[in-house]
Amino acid sequence: MPTFDAILTALETEGCFISDELLSPALLQSLLIEGHQRWQLGQFHDARVGRKQQLALAADIRGDSILWLDAHDSYQASQEIFAFTELLQQAFNQYFFMGLKQVELHYARYASGTGYKRHIDQHHDTTFRKITIVIYLNPDWTAEDGGELLIYDPFNPEQTLFRVLPIAGRIVIFRSDLFEHEVLPSSKTRWSVTGWFRDDENFFGFAA
C-alpha cells in the first residue's frame, strides 16, 4: 500500500488535506477524456438535492450535471480511480478504525456560470458519509476562471479556511461531517470527480 501518512496526519489534526501530487497527469487526462466522451453520449443528468424519496431539481442551489461511476464498468480511468480510493479506504480503516465499507464516486460537470451553494455532505439524520474526496480535472485553469471551492471553519462559520482553485491534479480530502463548503461559479466549464467514503453496506441513492 502506498504511504498516505501526510493525508492521515492532516485529517487527524486539521480534518482536511489538499495536494497536487497524488495522481499522475496521464490518469487525470484520461479521466477528463472519459468524462467528455460520456457527456457527449448523454450519460449525465442534472444533479438533485435531498433524499431518494424526495429528490428535487434545485438549480438555484446547485448547477452541476453528474454521472455516477461504477468500478465494474469498461472505463479504464474510472477503474483506476476506484483502485486508488480502495487503497485510501484501507488506510483510513487501519489508522482511524472507521469501518468504511465502500466509496461512491461521480463526475461533476459545472457549466459556465453555475455553482453549488454552501452545504455539508452528511444529509440530515444520516451519518453514512465519513470522508469526502474531490479530484479536479481542469487543465490551464487560472484564478480569473473562478470556480473555487470554499471550505468554512466549523468553529467560526463566517471564516473561510481554504479557498481551493480547481486546477487539474488538485485533490481535496476532508471530513464529511465537519466542513460546510461551497462551489463558486466559474467562467468556463469545470470538471471534477467527487466522492464519499461510507460506512454502510449499501448505497441508498442519496443525492450528491
Side-chain angles (χ1 to χ4, degrees), residues 22-23 40 59 67 70 82 101 116 124 145 166 190 205:
L22 288 181
L23 297 177
Q40 293 298 325
L67 170 64
D70 186 339
F82 274 106
K101 296 181 175 65
Y116 194 161
H124 183 62
D145 296 322
R190 175 189 187 276

Side-chain angles (χ1 to χ4, degrees), residues 115-140:
Y116 194 161
K117 290 188 176 180
R118 184 168 174 167
H119 65 284
I120 198 163
D121 282 345
Q122 278 196 354
H123 295 93
H124 183 62
D125 291 333
T126 71
T127 60
F128 304 125
R129 291 175 172 174
K130 299 299 185 182
I131 297 177
T132 299
I133 182 168
V134 186
I135 302 167
Y136 292 113
L137 306 175
N138 307 293
D140 305 316

Side-chain angles (χ1 to χ4, degrees), residues 32-155:
L32 184 58
I33 290 171
E34 283 185 8
H36 280 292
Q37 291 173 340
R38 301 182 75 173
W39 171 259
Q40 293 298 325
L41 290 171
Q43 296 180 3
F44 283 66
H45 63 81
D46 291 339
R48 291 166 169 79
V49 296
R51 298 193 185 188
K52 185 174 182 180
Q53 293 80 10
Q54 300 173 322
L55 293 178
L57 288 171
D60 58 327
I61 297 175
R62 62 181 300 184
D64 56 326
S65 298
I66 67 170
L67 170 64
W68 290 103
L69 302 184
D70 186 339
H72 305 293
D73 66 21
S74 60
Y75 292 91
Q76 182 62 34
S78 297
Q79 292 176 11
E80 291 184 38
I81 286 299
F82 274 106
F84 169 71
T85 56
E86 173 63 25
L87 293 175
L88 275 176
Q89 178 176 305
Q90 293 175 25
F92 294 151
N93 282 338
Q94 290 175 9
Y95 191 82
F96 295 118
F97 303 100
M98 297 185 74
L100 300 171
K101 296 181 175 65
Q102 62 173 317
V103 62
E104 51 180 340
L105 297 170
H106 68 64
Y107 278 109
R109 180 190 183 275
Y110 288 85
S112 175
T114 64
Y116 194 161
K117 290 188 176 180
R118 184 168 174 167
H119 65 284
I120 198 163
D121 282 345
Q122 278 196 354
H123 295 93
H124 183 62
D125 291 333
T126 71
T127 60
F128 304 125
R129 291 175 172 174
K130 299 299 185 182
I131 297 177
T132 299
I133 182 168
V134 186
I135 302 167
Y136 292 113
L137 306 175
N138 307 293
D140 305 316
W141 198 272
T142 69
E144 288 72 27
D145 296 322
E148 296 96 333
L149 172 69
L150 303 186
I151 300 177
Y152 293 96
D153 186 343
F155 306 106

